[in-house]
Amino acid sequence: MKIGIIGGGSIGLLFSCYLSENHQVTLYCRTINQVNMINQCGITLQKKDSSILSNIHAKLSTERVADELVLVTVKQYHLPELLPILDKIPQHIPLLFLQNGMGHLDYLQKMKHDNILLGVVEHGALKISLSTVKHTGFGTTRVAAYKGDMQKLMAIKNTLQMSNFPFEIEANYNEMLIRKLVVNAAINPLTALLRIKNGDLLSNNYYFELLKEVFQEIIQVLCLQELEDTYFASIVSICQSTSNNYSSMLKDILEHRQTEIEGIVGVLRNKAEIQKQSVPFLQFLYTSIKGMEYKRWDE
Amino acid sequence: MKIGIIGGGSIGLLFSCYLSENHQVTLYCRTINQVNMINQCGITLQKKDSSILSNIHAKLSTERVADELVLVTVKQYHLPELLPILDKIPQHIPLLFLQNGMGHLDYLQKMKHDNILLGVVEHGALKISLSTVKHTGFGTTRVAAYKGDMQKLMAIKNTLQMSNFPFEIEANYNEMLIRKLVVNAAINPLTALLRIKNGDLLSNNYYFELLKEVFQEIIQVLCLQELEDTYFASIVSICQSTSNNYSSMLKDILEHRQTEIEGIVGVLRNKAEIQKQSVPFLQFLYTSIKGMEYKRWDE
């Protein structure tokens, strides 16, 4: 299948490498530097004990996309500038969006495409250079239909499926995104503000206290009180399995990049405001991270 | 006058240098290293354009204090271990306590001494080495009577007074400490958590937002609503005049030392609990800084 992957970040690079094993992949990047680099050197995928070089064709993301399936892997805050390009992709081509948070749902409403899929990526990936990505944590990609029929979704899943890069279908996209949102909102901003590894949220009693308080606010805003125990257990389990990792938001802060705070905590904060709920810890985290972004850009 | 100064931190070193101009000063230190260093090399006071070496006699703080006036400059959290030593100082010898926050008031209640004075130091001082201190900000030392008569306080103030190291008398020790507490509680934990200079609290809009929220909680706990504008103006003015400085709490965190969080935010948090007030931002700051201390000791 001809697959277009938009976005040359860690997720875009990771998917390009794996999917190019069975498919003809084109990676659409924002900078000509990255396009040239990938066309000349390919993409290197670093795994635990090995390194694989894949020859992948790269293009500028402003170029016309002509593929049978398009994966959108850019950060949520880069979506608006991409909309005119997505708009030019024929209506019958399925699009799969792989953003964190829920901020991107607003944009999808207006899209004319017949099949829009949403996915959450449970892999860990670290962009080492413009053309090198490290697969730091093995996981699953969960996909659900936002718009379109189940058969198409099944067909796409079966096409993408690989034993060492699995895909799973989720019945309800909203539940799927919310599950990821709860985890991201609990772990990312706290670890970014405190500049700690994910595991420190468990091993340091004071940080664990903060985690529980933040979690309570998230549960309250999303009206998930009934599933509280399940959700908290999954956060603890993720902190354990990624205990030595830095969250993506902390990495963004350390590398002076914009963070995904709007799509993660911003969404919850707005929801709380509409529901007239007080979420002071989320508010504190939101304002701190916005300040850290502001400061970075200012330097 | 024979003056004993307990505590070889930045304030103890600073006061030793200035007061030794007119008085016979003994500095009581916690480590034999610092005692030996000071007895061999004296204390160097770095000013903006000059450096002054003073010969000062140092002793271990476990040794008997035999002076006519004793200044206690150790951090509030070191007071408990010092109480047996202070207890042995004759009842008629005046004691001047120079701690931040209000946590030390609990200890003073039980002391038998006739004259107990409290002071707040508005100088900036940085300990460069065991025997070198830098006077980074010129200020005033405000003193008030906690116990004892006004005449004694006046006499001590006149004895200590220097044109380049001024002392001022305050009528009400509680008001004086609260004024300092408001400033410390607003500036110190935020700058320590965010790892920013004092001036960033004004120049970064998001941080300024956090400062205002934290300030509102402080004002509420201390029932200072009537003086709100005056207090906020003084915080802004201190952030401006120390805009390039790191707060003492941030320095403590960066240098892996215990912070004064208990005496500053801990006191407010307990007060809020008794008064059944919700202070989520102070709570967040308290728990974060405690976690940062915990982590440091753990490493």
Side-chain angles (χ1 to χ4, degrees), chain A residues 118-132:
Chain A
L118 289 165
V120 301
V121 178
E122 295 176 357
H123 292 277
L126 184 64
K127 185 175 174 177
I128 306 282
S129 76
L130 290 180
S131 65
T132 308

Side-chain angles (χ1 to χ4, degrees), chain B residues 200-239:
Chain B
D200 293 335
L201 287 176
L202 305 182
S203 63
N204 180 313
N205 287 339
Y206 295 102
Y207 296 159
F208 188 60
E209 208 50 54
L210 293 176
L211 177 67
K212 284 190 287 184
E213 296 272 6
V214 170
F215 174 74
Q216 277 307 321
E217 292 188 359
I218 298 167
I219 288 297
Q220 194 194 100
V221 174
L222 297 172
C223 303
L224 294 173
Q225 285 86 347
E226 277 183 31
L227 296 165
E228 193 180 318
D229 294 348
T230 320
Y231 273 104
F232 196 69
S234 87
I235 289 171
V236 167
S237 137
I238 288 167
C239 285

Side-chain angles (χ1 to χ4, degrees), chain A residues 190 193-196 200 203-207 209-210 280-281 283-285 287-288 290-292 294-295, chain B residues 190 193-196 200 203-207 209-210 280-281 284-285 287-288 290-292 294-295:
Chain A
L190 267 180
L193 174 60
L194 298 165
R195 293 163 196 252
I196 56 173
D200 294 334
S203 62
N204 181 313
N205 288 338
Y206 294 102
Y207 295 160
E209 206 52 51
L210 294 177
F281 277 39
Q283 181 63 42
F284 190 98
L285 288 170
T287 314
S288 303
K290 293 292 279 185
M292 290 165 93
Y294 175 90
K295 179 147 168 34
Chain B
L190 268 180
L193 174 60
L194 298 165
R195 296 166 195 250
I196 55 173
D200 293 335
S203 63
N204 180 313
N205 287 339
Y206 295 102
Y207 296 159
E209 208 50 54
L210 293 176
F281 277 39
F284 191 98
L285 289 170
T287 314
S288 303
K290 293 293 279 185
M292 291 166 94
Y294 176 89
K295 177 146 168 39

Side-chain angles (χ1 to χ4, degrees), chain B residues 74-141:
Chain B
V74 302
K75 293 274 172 75
Q76 178 251 304
Y77 49 79
H78 278 137
L79 267 187
E81 61 197 76
L82 208 61
L83 290 179
I85 291 149
L86 297 179
D87 212 43
K88 283 189 197 118
I89 298 174
Q91 196 169 331
H92 70 280
I93 301 293
L95 306 178
L96 167 56
F97 287 87
L98 294 172
Q99 283 65 40
N100 267 328
M102 300 186 81
H104 51 309
L105 292 185
D106 291 340
Y107 302 116
L108 304 190
Q109 277 187 335
K110 296 159 206 153
M111 300 195 69
K112 55 167 202 250
H113 296 81
D114 302 325
N115 287 284
I116 298 180
L117 313 180
L118 290 166
V120 299
V121 178
E122 295 176 358
H123 293 277
L126 185 65
K127 185 176 172 175
I128 306 283
S129 76
L130 290 180
S131 64
T132 308
V133 62
K134 190 170 180 177
H135 196 170
T136 55
F138 181 82
T140 296
T141 303

